[in-house]
């Protein structure tokens, strides 16, 4: 591992933000390069691990960028990628209704492309195992009976070695020359595609119901557009299943996604919104479980 003094330093002053994920913010340096600046608590070892995951994903055929440099941005680390004419996804969506439709079609096609790839279980975490762990972590706030019910929902999800992004939403996608590119490989894992749908449900539907204002600021689109993207994406991904089937999958996605939200909040993540995340998250969880059972 290099000494900090061996990494070149760059400034992000005045740079346009074109992406924002759980672990960092992506800035456009120029028409050919971008930099992802990580949170201060993200270690250099973890950054290097993500860089390696991105390389593996690229080799497997996932449309993603490969970092060619690690830099220092103030006291934080960043990774530099070559992406030509990169455009923020919200900017692309907000241009027109047609672009919103185009984005839904592109992102669903991208998701299906990823899910067609077989992953190596010796190299990536199992998303199903993560969900079972999250149930244990939040059983004290959701109650033993509900925890057991949700555990059965998770166990009914088929075991799978499909490649999953693990946090699939528009802030982890950049439009490059009119095509979507994934930019955050830190959450790359394996499992049934339902788990990736659950992460989409969190971003486009559940969080807007928990805190609409925060979501519009984070996503850069309206709550109406956000919910539309979720509903249309689910329908396209499931190849126009009937209404009852769509509602059943929607409920499962919401329940699975809420496990992640509640685990994050219960561990103290985002302390400013912790109480409202738990309170409203539990309210939505109860409603969705009633639909399911």
């Amino acid at each position: 591992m290099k000494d900090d003094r061996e990494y070149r330093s760059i400034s992000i002053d005045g740079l346009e933000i074109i992406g924002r994920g759980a672990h960092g913010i992506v800035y456009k340096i120029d028409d050919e390069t971008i930099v992802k600046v990580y949170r201060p608590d993200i270690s250099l070892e973890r950054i290097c691990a993500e860089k390696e995951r991105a390389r593996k994903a690229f080799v497997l055929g996932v449309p993603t960028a490969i970092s060619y440099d690690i830099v220092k941005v103030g006291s934080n680390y960043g990774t530099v990628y070559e992406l030509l004419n990169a455009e923020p996804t919200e900017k692309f969506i907000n241009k027109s209704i047609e672009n919103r439709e185009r984005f839904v079609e592109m992102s669903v096609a991208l998701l299906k492309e990823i899910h067609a790839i077989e992953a190596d279980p010796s190299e990536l975490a199992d998303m199903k195992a993560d969900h079972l762990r999250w149930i244990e972590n939040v059983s004290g706030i959701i109650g033993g009976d509900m925890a057991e019910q949700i555990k059965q929902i998770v166990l009914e999800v088929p075991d799978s070695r499909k490649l999953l992004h693990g946090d699939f939403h528009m802030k982890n996608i950049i439009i490059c020359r009119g095509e979507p590119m994934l930019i955050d490989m830190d959450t790359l894992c394996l499992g049934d595609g339902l788990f990736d749908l659950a992460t989409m449900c969190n971003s486009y539907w559940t969080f807007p119901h928990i805190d609409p204002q925060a979501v519009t600021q984070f996503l850069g689109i309206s709550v109406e557009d956000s919910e539309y993207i979720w509903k249309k994406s689910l329908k396209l991904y499931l190849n126009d299943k009937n209404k009852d089937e769509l509602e059943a999958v929607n409920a499962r996605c919401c329940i699975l996604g809420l496990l992640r939200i509640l685990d994050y909040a219960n561990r103290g993540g985002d302390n400013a919104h912790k109480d409202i995340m738990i309170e409203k998250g539990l309210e939505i969880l109860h409603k969705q479980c009633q639909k399911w059972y």
Side-chain angles (χ1 to χ4, degrees):
M1 197 70 66
K2 292 182 181 180
D3 184 278
D4 278 356
R5 289 169 296 183
E6 297 181 56
Y7 292 102
R8 69 184 178 97
S9 295
I10 67 170
S11 172
I12 56 172
D13 291 346
L15 297 185
E16 178 186 11
I17 294 176
I18 60 171
R20 190 187 299 268
H23 304 114
I25 300 174
V26 180
Y27 298 85
K28 184 174 182 178
I29 298 176
D30 52 42
D31 287 341
E32 297 183 352
T33 51
I34 64 172
V35 60
K36 177 179 178 180
V37 182
Y38 292 87
R39 296 195 325 250
D41 60 311
I42 303 298
S43 68
L44 182 57
E45 289 77 13
R46 188 168 178 178
I47 293 168
C48 290
E50 179 182 346
K51 185 178 178 182
E52 176 59 19
R53 285 195 187 97
R55 186 194 67 79
K56 290 177 181 177
F58 183 82
V59 170
L60 289 169
V62 176
T64 188
I66 301 298
S67 169
Y68 64 84
D69 199 9
I70 294 178
V71 296
K72 289 286 291 183
V73 184
S75 59
N76 298 3
Y77 290 104
T79 51
V80 179
Y81 300 85
E82 182 177 19
L83 277 181
L84 301 179
N85 301 316
E87 180 180 17
T89 302
E90 66 269 25
K91 184 177 179 180
F92 178 85
I93 292 172
N94 287 329
K95 283 180 180 178
S96 66
I97 295 296
E98 291 75 20
N99 272 21
R100 185 185 69 179
E101 295 296 315
R102 173 66 177 145
F103 170 74
V104 172
E105 293 168 359
M106 290 192 303
S107 63
V108 171
L110 176 59
L111 193 62
K112 288 185 175 183
E113 183 179 348
I114 295 169
H115 293 172
I117 299 170
E118 289 285 317
D120 186 345
S122 69
E123 297 181 345
L124 296 173
D126 184 343
M127 195 68 153
K128 187 172 184 177
D130 284 344
H131 279 72
L132 292 172
R133 176 169 51 82
W134 294 335
I135 292 171
E136 293 296 323
N137 292 347
V138 302
S139 60
I141 60 174
I142 67 176
D145 290 343
M146 180 170 286
E148 188 57 36
Q149 289 178 346
I150 296 174
K151 183 177 181 180
Q152 292 308 309
I153 293 174
V154 174
L155 290 173
E156 288 170 6
V157 179
D159 292 327
S160 175
R161 295 170 61 173
K162 290 178 181 177
L163 186 67
L164 304 178
H165 180 266
D167 194 20
F168 193 88
H169 58 77
M170 59 179 282
K171 300 305 287 189
N172 281 332
I173 297 172
I174 288 177
I175 307 301
C176 187
R177 292 180 170 177
E179 297 296 329
M181 296 281 286
L182 283 167
I183 58 170
D184 195 338
M185 295 293 119
D186 184 64
T187 53
L188 204 68
C189 55
L190 59 84
D192 188 85
L194 188 69
F195 293 123
D196 258 348
L197 291 175
T199 68
M200 292 176 66
C201 184
N202 273 353
S203 297
Y204 297 130
W205 191 89
T206 306
F207 272 122
H209 281 76
I210 291 175
D211 192 340
Q213 184 176 358
V215 167
T216 56
Q217 291 174 348
F218 176 71
L219 293 180
I221 60 175
S222 68
V223 170
E224 291 75 20
D225 279 344
S226 177
E227 293 188 9
Y228 176 86
I229 288 171
W230 164 240
K231 291 177 181 178
K232 184 65 179 289
S233 296
L234 184 64
K235 190 175 181 180
L236 279 179
Y237 186 90
L238 297 177
N239 296 319
D240 293 327
K241 289 187 180 295
N242 66 49
K243 182 180 178 181
D244 289 341
E245 290 174 312
L246 283 170
E247 288 182 353
V249 176
N250 185 87
R252 290 176 80 187
C253 289
C254 188
I255 291 167
L256 294 174
L258 275 162
L259 287 177
R260 189 175 196 163
I261 293 172
L262 291 171
D263 173 67
Y264 174 74
N266 195 45
R267 287 185 289 107
D270 194 4
N271 285 314
H273 297 90
K274 177 179 178 178
D275 291 341
I276 192 170
M277 286 172 70
I278 292 177
E279 178 186 350
K280 292 197 174 183
L282 288 174
E283 181 182 326
I284 295 170
L285 184 65
H286 281 281
K287 288 181 180 178
Q288 293 299 326
C289 283
Q290 287 173 358
K291 290 181 182 179
W292 184 256
Y293 289 101

